[in-house]
Amino acid sequence: MADRRTTSSRWWLPAGAGVASVIVFAGVGELAAALLASASSPFAVVGSLLIDLAPPWAKDAAIALFGTNDKAALLVGIGLVLLVVAAGAGVLEARRPPWGQVVFWVFGGVGVLAAVTRANASMLAFAPAALAAIAGVVTLRLLTQRLPGADVEPAVAGPPHAASGDDDERADAAGTAAIDRRRFLGWAGGAAAIGALAAMGGYALQAGSRAVTAVRQAIRLPDPVSSASIPAGAELDLDGLSPYVTPNAQFYRIDTALAVPAVEPANWSLRIHGDVEQEVVLTWDELLALPLEESVTTLACVSNEVGGGLIGNAVWLGYPIRELLATAVPSADADMVLSRSIDGFTASTPLEVLQDDRNAILAVGMNGEPLPAEHGFPVRMVVPGLYGYVSATKWVTELEVTRFDAASAYWTDRGWSERGPIKLQSRIDVPRQGQGLSAGPVVVAGVAWHQHVGVAAVDVQVDDGPWQPAALATAVSDDTWVQWSFDWDATSGSHTLRVRATGADGEVQTSKRQGVVPDGATGLHSRDVNVG
Ligand SMILES: Nc1nc2c(c(=O)[nH]1)N[C@H]1C(S)=C(S)[C@@H](COP(=O)(O)O)O[C@H]1N2
Ligand SMILES: [Mo]
C-alpha cells in the first residue's frame, strides 16, 4: 500500500508542483501587467502573437468553431497547454533538475519576446513576463525541495528500513510519508492560491481599462463640419523619412500616468470655471453634438532633444476652445488657463493663445479614430505652437481661467518654464547616423517645424561647405512640420551633414546648443556618414 502510494506520488506530486508554479507564474504576470505595463499581460501578448502568426486557414477554422468567442477559446487553449507543460516541468524538475526551471524560463522568454515585439511596446513591456518567470522558477524550486522524500535518497530506491519486515517501522514510514505529503500539499495549495489571488487582483485592476476599451471601440465619431485635406505634395514618400501624418501606433507618448487613466465618456465632463462670468459644464454627448472640425497639428515635447523623436503630426477632430471660452466670458484681467487632467496633471496655457484664431481644440479624434487611451481618451487639448507640457492636457476635465501670477502648473513647479512656445527646429531622417553610402547621388531628407509661424526654408551643409537650399514639400498649414529633401552628390570619405531651418518670420535656427531644460533644446542636428 505504502509502496504503491510512493510510486504514484513520484509523478503526481511533482506534477502538482509544476501546476502550482505555473499558476503563480500566470498570477504574477497578470498583476505585474496591471501595475506596470497594462498592454503587456503575458497571456494577451502571447495570444496576440499567435493570432499574428496563425495562417489564414487556422483563423477561419477558429472563427468557424468558436465564433466571436474565438479569442476566449485561444486564451483557454494557451492556459491548458501551460498547465500540461508545467505539470511535465514539475516532474522534470524532480528528476532532472534544473530542466523543469528551464521550461519556466522558456515560458518567460516567449512572453518577453511577444511583449517587446508588439507595436507601441512600452519600455516596461518586458517586465510582466520576466517577473512571472522569476516567480514561477522560485516557486518550482521551493516546492520541489518540499516534495516528500526530497532530501533523502530518491524515492525509487525507498528508505532502506522500509524493506525490513518490521510492521511497526513500515507503519511509521507510511505515517511520516503521509505527513510529508500533507505538508507538501499545503505548500503547493498555498502557492496556487497566492497565484490565483494575484491573477484576480490583476484582472480586477484592469477591469476599468477593459471596459473603456470596449466603449471606445463602439464609438462612431460624427463627421466633421470641415475636414482636413492633405495635399499630395506634402508626402515625399522617401524610404526612412517620417511620414507626414504619424500613425497613432508610432506617435510618441509622454505623460506622468503610471497606469493609463480609464475614463468612460458617459462619466466625462469638462468644467470651465475660475475668473469667468458664466461657469460652463460640457458633457461628452454635448461635445459630440457641437460642429466638430478636423485640423492638422504637429505636437512636440519640450523634452525632445535635437534630432529626437518626441514629435508627431496628426489629423485631430475637435471643437475650438475659443468658442467655449466665449460662452464662459473670462474676466478682463485673466491671462492664463490652467487645464487639469483627471489624474491631477496640470498645464498653464496663455489665455490669448486659446482665444485667437488658431486651431486650439478639445480633441476627441486622432487620425480618424477616437483618441487612443494613452493619448487622452476621451478628450484632450491640442494647441498649435506650444509644447505639450503647457497645452496638450490629456484626459482633460477642467479649464480654470486664472492668472500666471496666481497659479502654476505641474512642470512649472518642477523647474520648467511657465510658458513653452515650440522652438524652430529641423531633423535629418535619412541617411541614418553612421550609414555606409556609395559615392554618387544620395537623397538627404527630414522634417522641419516652427508651429504657428511656419518654415520658409531649409538648408543643408556638408562638412564645412556652404549652406545649400533643400527642397520643401507642401504643408497643410504653418501649424505642422514640413518634409524636406536635398540631392547630394556624395564623394568618398567620411562626411558630416547638417540641417538648418529658417522660419517664416525670418528667424534662422540657431547653432547654439541648449539642453531641454527649462524651455526646449536648441542647436543643429547633424549626421555622420561614410561614403565608400
Ligand atoms: N494628463 C496629462 N496630459 C499630458 C501630459 C501628462 O503627463 N498628463 N504630458 C504632456 C506632455 S509633456 C506632452 S509632450 C504631451 C504628449 O502627448 P502624447 O503622449 O499624446 O504624444 O501630452 C501632454 N499632456
Ligand atoms: Mo512633453
Side-chain angles (χ1 to χ4, degrees):
M1 181 66 181
D3 276 348
R4 209 193 306 143
R5 252 193 236 161
T6 316
T7 315
S8 62
S9 71
R10 255 187 281 144
W11 68 267
W12 76 262
L13 290 182
V19 167
S21 304
V22 87
I23 293 172
V24 171
F25 171 91
V28 168
E30 290 308 296
L31 187 59
L35 296 175
L36 304 173
S38 58
S40 303
S41 135
F43 269 98
V45 292
V46 170
S48 304
L49 183 70
L50 290 176
I51 291 172
D52 292 350
L53 294 178
W57 61 261
K59 286 183 200 172
D60 294 345
I63 292 169
L65 205 56
F66 301 110
T68 52
N69 289 326
D70 58 339
K71 297 210 173 57
L74 175 68
L75 292 178
V76 170
I78 295 174
L80 289 177
V81 169
L82 273 182
L83 284 176
V84 171
V85 176
V91 176
L92 204 55
E93 181 64 17
R95 298 195 180 171
R96 301 240 187 295
W99 286 104
Q101 296 173 47
V102 170
V103 172
F104 274 81
W105 288 124
V106 171
F107 284 169
V110 171
V112 168
L113 261 183
V116 300
T117 53
R118 286 271 90 194
N120 225 4
S122 76
M123 297 257 292
L124 285 175
F126 74 94
L131 291 172
I134 292 169
V137 165
V138 167
T139 310
L140 185 64
R141 290 190 55 171
L142 289 177
L143 289 178
T144 305
Q145 282 161 13
R146 283 163 178 72
L147 279 170
D151 49 1
V152 298
E153 276 298 287
V156 199
H161 58 262
S164 84
D166 191 309
D167 275 355
D168 281 356
E169 268 189 29
R170 198 183 289 171
D172 267 8
T176 317
I179 290 168
D180 283 354
R181 194 158 45 236
R182 223 170 294 139
R183 196 174 290 154
F184 169 80
L185 287 175
W187 280 102
I194 289 171
L197 275 179
M200 286 189 285
Y203 192 81
L205 282 173
Q206 291 182 75
S209 73
R210 265 195 310 277
V212 166
T213 304
V215 170
R216 179 181 174 274
Q217 273 162 0
I219 288 175
R220 251 191 60 74
L221 292 174
D223 289 332
V225 291
S226 62
S227 34
S229 70
I230 313 272
E235 188 69 74
L236 296 179
D237 214 0
L238 295 170
D239 232 16
L241 172 62
S242 310
Y244 179 68
V245 173
T246 314
N248 289 353
Q250 273 151 253
F251 208 98
Y252 80 96
R253 174 191 166 196
I254 291 286
D255 53 61
T256 58
L258 193 54
V260 175
V263 185
E264 295 238 24
N267 300 332
W268 178 88
S269 68
L270 178 82
R271 192 162 76 95
I272 304 176
H273 64 109
D275 300 339
V276 294
E277 264 175 34
Q278 176 70 54
E279 250 194 59
V280 173
V281 175
L282 188 71
T283 66
W284 170 252
D285 286 339
E286 286 164 351
L287 175 57
L288 287 203
L290 293 169
L292 303 183
E293 300 168 8
E294 253 180 7
S295 51
V296 190
T297 297
T298 299
L299 197 64
C301 183
V302 68
S303 297
N304 195 29
E305 304 281 353
V306 173
L310 300 182
I311 177 164
N313 187 39
V315 179
W316 307 95
L317 176 70
Y319 187 71
I321 294 170
R322 93 179 86 79
E323 302 291 344
L324 298 171
L325 287 174
T327 313
V329 192
S331 70
D333 62 347
D335 66 359
M336 187 258 267
V337 171
L338 190 72
S339 53
R340 185 171 280 114
S341 156
I342 194 141
D343 66 355
F345 171 88
T346 51
S348 55
T349 311
L351 178 61
E352 81 247 13
V353 167
L354 298 176
Q355 289 179 312
D356 68 20
D357 62 357
R358 77 185 75 198
N359 293 314
I361 57 168
L362 278 186
V364 295
M366 181 177 184
N367 293 330
E369 28 174 304
L371 293 177
E374 58 273 23
H375 293 293
F377 181 81
V379 185
R380 75 174 303 169
M381 286 172 58
V382 174
V383 180
L386 303 183
Y387 287 121
Y389 83 106
V390 288
S391 69
T393 304
K394 305 191 271 190
W395 315 288
V396 65
T397 57
E398 239 183 87
L399 302 183
E400 182 184 348
V401 178
T402 178
R403 298 185 49 82
F404 274 106
D405 59 19
S408 60
Y410 186 92
W411 286 115
T412 310
D413 295 341
R414 289 161 177 79
W416 296 75
S417 172
E418 73 178 7
R419 290 166 202 248
I422 297 176
K423 293 179 180 175
L424 174 61
Q425 263 295 341
S426 53
R427 184 178 81 193
I428 303 173
D429 285 349
V430 279
R432 296 185 314 276
Q433 174 65 21
Q435 190 173 336
L437 302 165
S438 324
V442 166
V443 178
V444 182
V447 282
W449 59 91
H450 198 192
Q451 285 90 315
H452 214 59
V453 176
V455 173
V458 169
D459 295 273
V460 171
Q461 183 188 42
V462 181
D463 302 322
D464 293 321
W467 285 99
Q468 302 176 69
L472 289 189
T474 319
V476 169
S477 73
D478 293 341
D479 292 331
T480 78
W481 62 12
V482 60
Q483 297 182 342
W484 57 265
S485 75
F486 173 75
D487 295 321
W488 176 38
D489 191 13
T491 55
S492 48
S494 298
H495 297 286
T496 299
L497 303 167
R498 233 174 246 106
V499 63
R500 184 185 74 183
T502 302
D505 55 357
E507 178 186 346
V508 178
Q509 188 185 332
T510 177
S511 62
K512 192 168 164 264
R513 284 236 151 221
Q514 190 203 293
V516 297
V517 187
D519 61 0
T522 64
L524 302 181
H525 188 216
S526 66
R527 286 266 163 101
D528 305 314
V529 292
N530 303 305
V531 183

